[in-house]
């Protein structure tokens, strides 16, 4: 279930993901963290589902690192 972050069904709170922050969209630099909230309402998004990480950063999921939520 590893993969990209374009489908909302594949993302859940507790997953470890790589996201691209708004300010990093030009460079494509990713930031790793644990999903706290899913912000995108639609079932999929071409640029990645928008999430909030546990540390408060918001960005679009580029890659799902772990397939199982962290406790």
């Amino acid at each position: 279930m590893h993969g990209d972050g374009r489908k909302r069904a594949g993302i859940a709170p507790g997953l470890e993901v790589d996201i691209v922050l708004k300010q990093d969209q030009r460079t494509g630099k990713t930031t790793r963290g644990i999903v706290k909230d899913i912000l995108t309402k639609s079932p999929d998004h071409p640029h990645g589902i928008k999430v909030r990480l546990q540390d408060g950063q918001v960005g679009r999921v580029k890659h799902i690192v772990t397939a199982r939520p962290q406790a």
Side-chain angles (χ1 to χ4, degrees):
M1 185 72 190
H2 291 30
D4 66 31
R6 291 189 295 235
K7 295 263 185 254
R8 193 173 190 274
I11 298 169
L15 282 185
E16 186 177 12
V17 295
D18 289 332
I19 66 168
V20 175
L21 302 172
K22 182 86 172 161
Q23 66 265 28
D24 295 329
Q25 283 176 349
R26 285 172 175 265
T27 63
K29 176 180 167 281
T30 59
T31 302
R32 184 160 291 185
I34 306 295
V35 176
K36 181 180 179 196
D37 302 306
I38 301 171
L39 304 177
T40 299
K41 297 290 184 234
S42 61
D44 51 47
H45 192 284
H47 301 299
I49 299 299
K50 190 179 277 187
V51 299
R52 180 180 294 114
L53 300 180
Q54 287 180 343
D55 64 5
Q57 296 184 97
V58 173
R60 295 197 181 274
V61 177
K62 286 296 164 200
H63 182 75
I64 298 168
V65 180
T66 56
R68 251 178 230 94
Q70 305 289 311

